[in-house]
Amino acid sequence: MTTVENATMIGKSVKINGELSGSEDLIMDGELHGTIRLAGARLTIGPAARVYGDIAAKDVVIFGRVDGDIRATGRLELRASAWMLGNIYAASLSIEENATVQGQIDPTRAQEPIPERPAVVASAPAKPVRVPAAAARPAAPAAVAAERINPAESIVAEPEEGTPSAPLFAETKA
């Protein structure tokens, strides 16, 4: 990772909860729970960085981990060490070999603003809430077996035999 001249640097030990905004280039190597908005500026997510929230900037380069949507009106670069979980809306996209991307890519929506999301009150990342088994419909035995094998994948359970045209439902384990 090369350092950009006149860029603000946020170090590895810095943790931020909330919104980060500005108009100058930023190198982020710490942890952020919230939103980053850098209109007309370049954002570099360093190899030690962890961002849990949405990003909007002109250009974005990712070496670390991002768990949220990215809107880049210019160019988005995912380097080999990048781990991205979220949707990508970028006018130009570069993905190096070994970068991990899980989400959708739509270059036509790069100019749209980030939709407002409700602020998380707790300082720790929100944990998924699971509906108790008594409240949920029982899953088919094949779906239960699949859940034990790979709990990170989505599980689609079909209705039990004899259930008249019950809709399918998806359950995701975190």
Side-chain angles (χ1 to χ4, degrees):
M1 182 174 87
T2 58
T3 306
V4 180
E5 216 173 291
N6 296 327
T8 301
M9 174 80 171
I10 296 179
K12 295 176 186 177
S13 66
V14 178
K15 293 184 180 185
I16 299 171
N17 289 310
E19 183 172 325
L20 181 62
S21 62
S23 58
E24 60 189 69
D25 294 346
L26 176 68
I27 299 171
M28 173 75 180
D29 219 10
E31 184 175 310
L32 180 128
H33 296 266
T35 304
I36 300 175
R37 296 175 194 272
L38 299 175
R42 178 185 182 99
L43 172 65
T44 302
I45 304 294
R50 302 293 180 259
V51 176
Y52 303 96
D54 296 336
I55 296 172
K58 179 181 176 197
D59 297 317
V60 181
V61 180
I62 300 176
F63 291 89
R65 177 184 173 129
V66 175
D67 192 349
D69 293 348
I70 296 180
R71 292 190 189 273
T73 56
R75 181 175 178 82
L76 172 62
E77 298 176 23
L78 297 171
R79 299 299 173 95
S81 59
W83 192 93
M84 169 71 196
L85 175 62
N87 298 318
I88 296 173
Y89 309 106
S92 176
L93 176 63
S94 171
I95 303 175
E96 287 185 357
E97 189 173 339
N98 293 326
T100 302
V101 180
Q102 191 173 12
Q104 296 179 351
I105 300 171
D106 185 356
T108 63
R109 296 178 56 195
Q111 301 295 330
E112 294 178 9
I114 294 178
E116 294 296 325
R117 294 187 184 181
V120 178
V121 176
S123 62
K127 294 184 179 179
V129 177
R130 180 133 191 183
V131 177
R137 235 178 58 205
V144 173
E147 182 176 348
R148 288 188 199 119
I149 293 169
N150 192 350
E153 291 186 12
S154 292
I155 301 168
V156 178
E158 297 184 15
E160 293 181 6
E161 290 222 17
T163 306
S165 65
L168 296 177
F169 65 94
E171 177 179 331
T172 304
K173 293 275 296 184

